[in-house]
Amino acid sequence: AVSGTPCCDLLNFASFLEACEDALTDIASHCDGITAIVGVPLQHEGAAISAAAVIQDRQVIKYAGKRTVTSRDEMWYISPYMGCEHLKVGDTKVGVLLSYDIKHDCKYGDYADLVIAINSGPYERGMIARRYDFYKEFAYTKGKPVVFVNHLGGQTGIVYDGSSGVYNREGKAIAFLKSFEEDFRIVETDSTDVVETPMRSKTRNVYEAIKLGIRDFFDKTGFSKACIGLSGGIDSAVVLAMAVEALGAERVRVLLMPSQYSSAHSVGDAVEMAEGLGVEYDVIPISPAFET
């Protein structure tokens, strides 16, 4: 994907869409001997569409454009397009779709030997399991292998979990990529080597999603360090533990600000935690400021 998502107001600027197309042309110039599918926003009839560009032999040969635009947030910026596109890769007939088109756009029909769905599906509790169930049923009922590739990363208030995968024509999983981490895999789509569906607790997934969101927020905005007020209570303790795991101890600094209401026990707990995690900390009593 060239631009990532959500682009929001950027899609109203022709200069941004032109920059995306320039990047797509650059990517295409390196695609020798392979077919590549690249997500990209495009200008079409004075509006922006969400597209999957199909590249072969250094040329963009066609676009699949998102047809199902139902999200109120998207409708402000994205216009519907034609939906599924077909191509041949060697002797394999491939249908390419975007996002929710796979649930509504049936034009892949009987033509495709293989369906590729690219998606930017945000994480929410229980979503990974529901996504796996959908594609498993899709591959089984259509009798076609399906490759689904999902966006990854934290972007402002949204986290995309990755969790891409491949099912064969019998609806059996033959590959899963990591959740909440970048991953790369070469997959034989006609494989009969079945893999187990990853099972991880929903609470653990929530934890990994928050951690990814923290890390990407800091890295993408250029903030080098987090400063956290540590009280000795459970709330700030959890925040500190997650910040250290997401960013590393060297990128976290802690302030302890005891007042006349703070017990020695709470201050001691906070100091013990800061030292245990190896983070820099300062104790700045605020009783004088309170009295003033």
Side-chain angles (χ1 to χ4, degrees):
V2 167
S3 67
T5 187
C7 301
C8 300
D9 286 344
L10 287 172
L11 296 173
N12 294 328
F13 292 90
S15 58
F16 174 75
L17 296 171
E18 289 165 2
C20 290
E21 293 186 45
D22 290 343
L24 182 66
T25 300
D26 184 46
I27 292 170
S29 71
H30 298 278
C31 292
D32 286 320
I34 62 170
T35 298
I37 298 171
V38 181
V40 60
L42 295 173
Q43 301 178 79
H44 177 71
E45 297 180 354
I49 63 170
S50 179
V54 179
I55 299 170
Q56 286 183 338
D57 299 323
R58 297 188 174 217
Q59 299 291 324
V60 179
I61 60 169
K62 58 180 61 179
Y63 297 99
K66 185 175 181 179
R67 184 178 180 184
T68 310
V69 181
T70 56
S71 163
R72 192 181 311 177
D73 292 336
E74 278 192 324
M75 292 169 71
W76 285 102
Y77 311 107
I78 295 288
S79 294
Y81 195 59
M82 300 291 289
C84 178
E85 272 293 346
H86 299 98
L87 64 142
K88 288 196 74 174
V89 181
D91 295 328
T92 302
K93 295 175 285 189
V94 180
V96 179
L97 305 102
L98 286 86
S99 191
Y100 292 112
D101 281 0
I102 197 165
K103 296 183 178 181
H104 304 285
D105 187 340
C106 298
K107 289 197 297 181
Y108 42 80
D110 297 326
Y111 174 86
D113 302 317
L114 168 71
V115 175
I116 297 177
I118 68 171
N119 189 26
S120 292
Y123 173 75
E124 61 182 60
R125 187 175 171 89
M127 175 55 73
I128 296 175
R130 293 199 297 273
R131 192 184 298 130
Y132 289 160
D133 287 344
F134 170 80
Y135 284 106
K136 176 181 179 178
E137 183 179 354
F138 175 90
Y140 177 76
T141 56
K142 302 295 182 184
K144 303 175 188 295
V146 57
V147 178
F148 63 97
V149 183
N150 192 42
H151 191 46
L152 173 82
Q155 185 66 27
T156 315
I158 303 174
V159 172
Y160 301 93
D161 57 272
S163 311
S164 304
V166 185
Y167 285 92
N168 65 18
R169 66 181 70 254
E170 297 173 352
K172 296 179 179 177
I174 55 176
F176 287 109
L177 277 71
K178 294 177 182 177
S179 299
F180 308 108
E181 292 183 57
E182 287 190 359
D183 201 2
F184 173 81
R185 196 74 51 84
I186 295 173
V187 181
E188 297 288 347
T189 55
D190 58 356
S191 172
T192 55
D193 295 332
V194 178
V195 298
E196 292 293 324
T197 303
M199 297 298 291
R200 191 164 59 185
S201 78
K202 294 177 181 178
T203 301
R204 179 72 192 188
N205 284 336
V206 170
Y207 176 72
E208 294 295 340
I210 295 171
K211 205 168 67 173
L212 175 60
I214 292 170
R215 184 185 302 119
D216 275 9
F217 177 81
F218 275 79
D219 291 345
K220 290 180 179 182
T221 54
F223 287 111
S224 59
K225 224 168 185 183
C227 184
I228 296 171
L230 190 62
S231 67
I234 186 65
D235 295 355
S236 61
V238 171
V239 171
L240 175 59
M242 296 195 73
V244 168
E245 189 161 343
L247 304 174
E250 70 283 354
R251 296 181 65 186
V252 180
R253 183 167 181 168
V254 169
L255 295 180
L256 283 66
M257 297 179 287
S259 72
Q260 65 271 35
Y261 304 111
S262 303
S263 67
H265 181 62
S266 67
V267 175
D269 286 349
V271 169
E272 183 179 353
M273 184 172 187
E275 291 179 345
L277 291 174
V279 299
E280 183 181 6
Y281 70 92
D282 297 281
V283 181
I284 305 174
I286 61 171
S287 295
F290 179 87
E291 293 298 330
T292 300

